[in-house]
Amino acid sequence: MLELHGIGACAGVADGPLFRYRPKRTKPRRRTVSDIPAELARLDAAIAAVKTELGALRDRALEAGMNPGDAKIFESQTAMLEDEDFLAAVRDNIQETKLCAERVVDTTGEAFADTLRGLGDPYLAARADDLTDAAKRVVAVLCDQPGASFRDLPARAVLAAETLTPSEALGLDKSKVCAFLMRGGSPESHASILARSLGIPTVTALGDEFDKLEDGVRTMVDGETGLVVQCPDQGTMALLAQKLVRRVREDHSLQTLRGKPCISKHGVRIRLTANIAMPAEAKRALVHDAEGIGLFRTEFLYMERGGKPTEDYLFTAYQEVLLAMGTRRVAVRLPDFSTEKASYFPEVSSEANPALGMRPLSLLLAHPDMLNTQLRALVRASIYGNLAVLLPMVVDPQEVREVRERLEEVRRGLIDEGRNVAQKIELGVMIETPAAVMTADILAREADFLCIGTNDLAQYLLVCDRTQTARATSVQRHPAVLRAIAQAVRSAHAENVPVCICGECACDISLAGFFAGIGADELSMTPSEILKMKQAVRALSAQDCRNALERALDLAEAPEFPVLENKEDA
Ligand code: PEP
Ligand code: MG
């Protein structure tokens, strides 16, 4: 039996064969060929095989419920393999250099992709990655080594990866992956957030022990404690099986809370809403009793599509979520391309430190076409429900004013075009930096509500990279982070502006008393955690909240918060 310990990032017990994901393929060797017509025929056959494979992938994705717009990525990769310039360059190269097709496809694919990336257009840069991927598929067929990819997964596999990019994480198929293990990462890296939103038990930060895991071997995973066991003995199997049964029972008892209000014993009411990354998640959020969408991370619409989405595509995505949520508020965040997601914009990812690079709002204001497309899609969708627009990583009140002006211009423009639009669209400001906390009163005067993103706030307050292994979610319980949250809530409430907390700590039930004590108006989290938080809040008394505040803020005596002064236990 081999026992490893990492950091649990999504609770749940799983049992399946281990599958190691190795996305990097070795470069094909420089091999000369003498029969050029035969080599060209081999090339044609490989391209045809990959086109068939891409078609099958698209069909499978559609069957699995992928939005038809997103599935177009497979068609665009097919189109790249039909591109006359690309094909002519590969053929000419084979004829001139007499090198094997795999080597030529690899180098020509890279050269074409570099040219696209060099044009400085994010859309074309994303197309470059599609081209590289399509070329790699052809190389793999020519080398007769399909290599590792999600399509080779055995049934109900435990997927082990060094780390996954957000777009790779979006490709995880819950029907095939029963658990997810990472050498690095942290519970707050976007790969973990996405795995959590898919409900896949996840363990991160296994470190060098990760190398001991053997492919194909039976592996049991406890995503709560971070335990990973290969070839489990009878005792471990029995223990984890019991845990699985307990979880099923707990889930069952949580279901009795559906439809009941999230209100403490002393009458403090907190709205519990969901964080989502893809439109289809909205319906799942309702199953978990979400009172709205507190955070829709729209950058994933760009990343999954691998290019610049059109206004119609974005409109359809927002309309789907708004229709699903009815009158419940849906806070759609403008795309946030920071930290690991910066790769979408070469101008940010090429900076020495993208986490301190151009902030998402400045980036959008510097790309007025992209901002305009976003705002038009949002305003057009606004009539289908209760829409709010959320601004990421704000530090400058002037930027909030500028976006508000743009939003109003777009709204008036659409009315002039004869379209129906909502009378009012609320604007929310994310508080994710120390600067935003210090000026929360000023930002509150510019906003209809504030939303505290504790993943980034902890990163910038504690100078601690959110993607790094050493960082556990518990950093969000550091008194500096909790004092910053309390300060921002106090400042916003003094301006009569409500506050949502939407970082990963929003589902930490050990903080329920703290959140109720400071009077947080809303907590937005992974949908599957909503009922657990509701159970925790409903059990709280005023005294529990005072104790929680003392503990959380590391103070001898709980500071006074209006919600505690006004409400005593019944
Ligand atoms: C946060 O930073 O806490 C947040 C909610 O935004 P994201 O995790 O998408 O950066
Ligand atoms: Mg953030």
Side-chain angles (χ1 to χ4, degrees):
M1 181 170 104
L2 169 71
E3 191 177 313
L4 311 183
H5 295 268
I7 300 175
C10 177
V13 176
D15 181 0
L18 189 101
F19 177 84
R20 218 176 249 277
Y21 178 53
R22 296 186 184 90
K24 286 207 180 73
R25 293 168 218 260
T26 48
K27 229 179 161 40
R29 274 192 315 115
R30 261 179 87 86
R31 185 172 57 82
T32 45
V33 289
S34 49
D35 188 347
I36 300 296
E39 199 59 10
L40 292 176
R42 212 164 70 84
L43 170 73
D44 289 343
I47 290 179
V50 171
K51 279 161 56 179
T52 310
E53 179 183 290
L54 287 167
L57 272 176
R58 191 211 45 206
D59 293 347
R60 223 183 306 151
L62 288 173
E63 268 166 38
M66 188 189 261
N67 169 331
D70 298 334
K72 284 215 167 67
I73 182 157
F74 301 114
E75 283 159 30
S76 85
Q77 289 194 342
T78 305
M80 278 162 188
L81 294 178
E82 288 167 350
D83 182 83
E84 282 177 14
D85 290 341
F86 177 66
L87 290 178
V90 172
R91 289 169 169 280
D92 292 351
N93 247 319
I94 294 176
Q95 273 158 342
E96 279 164 26
T97 61
K98 304 207 169 5
L99 284 174
C100 59
E102 50 270 37
R103 178 74 183 194
V104 173
V105 170
D106 189 59
T107 48
T108 314
E110 271 178 20
F112 268 64
D114 283 348
T115 309
L116 287 176
R117 281 190 199 101
L119 297 175
D121 177 327
Y123 175 72
L124 293 177
R127 294 269 74 77
D129 292 341
D130 287 350
L131 176 61
T132 309
D133 190 49
K136 280 196 188 326
R137 285 179 193 272
V138 177
V139 170
V141 172
L142 284 164
C143 295
D144 197 22
Q145 46 162 242
S149 80
F150 294 154
R151 64 204 139 116
D152 307 315
L153 280 173
R156 306 282 305 143
V158 172
L159 180 74
E162 294 286 320
T163 182
L164 289 184
T165 63
S167 40
E168 284 170 327
L170 278 167
L172 292 178
D173 178 348
K174 202 184 168 192
S175 67
K176 294 186 106 186
V177 178
C178 69
F180 172 38
L181 310 179
M182 274 193 287
R183 176 199 292 277
S186 79
E188 292 142 65
S189 53
H190 286 94
S192 299
I193 291 175
L194 290 169
R196 234 181 345 263
S197 88
L198 293 167
I200 299 176
T202 298
V203 176
T204 62
L206 284 161
D208 290 344
E209 298 276 281
F210 181 84
D211 294 326
K212 296 187 183 154
L213 291 167
E214 274 185 56
D215 244 334
V217 170
R218 179 177 184 183
T219 307
M220 289 189 91
V221 177
D222 181 350
E224 188 181 352
T225 59
L227 174 71
V228 179
V229 184
Q230 280 207 312
C231 306
D233 59 22
Q234 289 296 328
T236 310
M237 273 194 287
L239 219 68
L240 290 178
Q242 269 171 19
K243 189 158 188 177
L244 192 60
V245 172
R246 208 169 47 239
R247 274 187 69 83
V248 172
R249 284 211 192 105
E250 278 165 11
D251 280 352
H252 197 257
S253 95
L254 285 176
Q255 290 309 314
T256 61
L257 293 176
R258 294 196 64 219
K260 295 196 176 148
C262 177
I263 187 161
S264 70
K265 286 183 184 155
H266 59 304
V268 172
R269 170 90 172 86
I270 305 184
R271 269 162 46 80
L272 298 183
T273 53
N275 291 348
I276 63 168
M278 297 306 287
E281 287 178 83
K283 287 208 178 97
R284 234 157 38 102
L286 284 176
V287 171
H288 293 286
D289 224 14
E291 295 178 70
I293 302 296
L295 170 65
F296 181 0
R297 293 177 162 105
T298 58
E299 55 277 8
F300 292 103
L301 295 175
Y302 291 69
M303 303 185 77
E304 191 188 39
R305 195 173 160 82
K308 205 188 306 186
T310 60
E311 180 185 317
D312 280 347
Y313 173 83
L314 293 170
F315 164 76
T316 310
Y318 302 146
Q319 184 193 40
E320 180 181 340
V321 178
L322 286 161
L323 284 174
M325 299 311 289
T327 55
R328 300 171 175 89
R329 186 171 76 185
V330 175
V332 178
R333 184 174 71 185
L334 296 187
D336 175 351
F337 294 103
S338 48
T339 321
E340 318 114 284
K341 297 173 289 189
S343 59
Y344 187 81
F345 272 99
E347 67 212 80
V348 184
S349 58
S350 61
E351 294 195 39
N353 190 344
L356 298 179
M358 202 168 173
R359 278 171 293 99
L361 213 49
S362 318
L363 204 56
L364 282 172
L365 287 164
H367 287 88
D369 287 354
M370 190 171 170
L371 179 59
N372 199 49
T373 304
Q374 259 293 343
L375 295 179
R376 278 184 61 93
L378 283 164
V379 177
R380 278 175 56 197
S382 64
I383 49 165
Y384 293 98
N386 181 356
L387 173 75
V389 174
L390 192 51
L391 309 185
M393 205 71 86
V394 175
V395 296
D396 185 350
Q398 179 53 30
E399 287 183 334
V400 181
R401 286 190 280 273
E402 271 180 52
V403 177
R404 200 186 271 284
E405 276 164 25
R406 296 281 160 80
L407 183 63
E408 190 46 30
E409 272 165 29
V410 166
R411 214 181 67 84
R412 279 200 305 268
L414 285 165
I415 292 172
D416 290 346
E417 283 176 26
R419 298 197 193 246
N420 271 340
V421 299
Q423 280 290 334
K424 177 165 168 60
I425 298 172
E426 288 196 338
L427 203 62
V429 162
M430 297 267 317
I431 303 290
E432 302 183 88
T433 63
V437 172
M438 304 303 289
T439 54
D441 54 334
I442 304 173
L443 293 171
R445 289 196 283 275
E446 300 295 337
D448 297 299
F449 64 99
L450 298 188
C451 189
I452 307 180
T454 51
N455 304 334
D456 281 310
L457 182 57
Q459 164 166 271
Y460 295 114
L461 266 177
L462 305 178
V463 194
C464 165
D465 182 346
R466 64 184 279 179
T467 65
Q468 282 316 302
T469 295
R471 175 170 161 164
T473 306
S474 58
V475 296
Q476 296 191 17
R477 280 183 233 132
H478 189 290
V481 178
L482 300 178
R483 287 181 187 196
I485 296 173
Q487 182 179 330
V489 169
R490 200 189 280 282
S491 303
H493 283 177
E495 301 293 333
N496 284 321
V497 168
V499 185
C500 170
I501 295 162
C502 69
E504 293 315 297
C505 77
C507 62
D508 184 343
I509 54 172
S510 74
L511 292 177
F514 166 73
F515 294 138
I518 58 175
D521 302 274
E522 177 178 337
L523 298 172
S524 186
M525 64 196 79
T526 303
S528 58
E529 303 303 301
I530 288 176
L531 288 173
K532 281 180 227 158
M533 181 53 85
K534 190 188 282 193
Q535 188 177 47
V537 171
R538 285 171 64 93
L540 291 170
S541 66
Q543 192 52 46
D544 291 334
C545 294
R546 275 191 203 96
N547 296 343
L549 277 176
E550 281 171 16
R551 252 194 335 268
L553 302 175
D554 207 357
L555 295 170
E557 199 177 322
E560 300 200 337
F561 278 88
V563 75
L564 278 179
E565 288 153 36
N566 301 340
K567 293 194 161 81
E568 274 306 325
D569 293 341

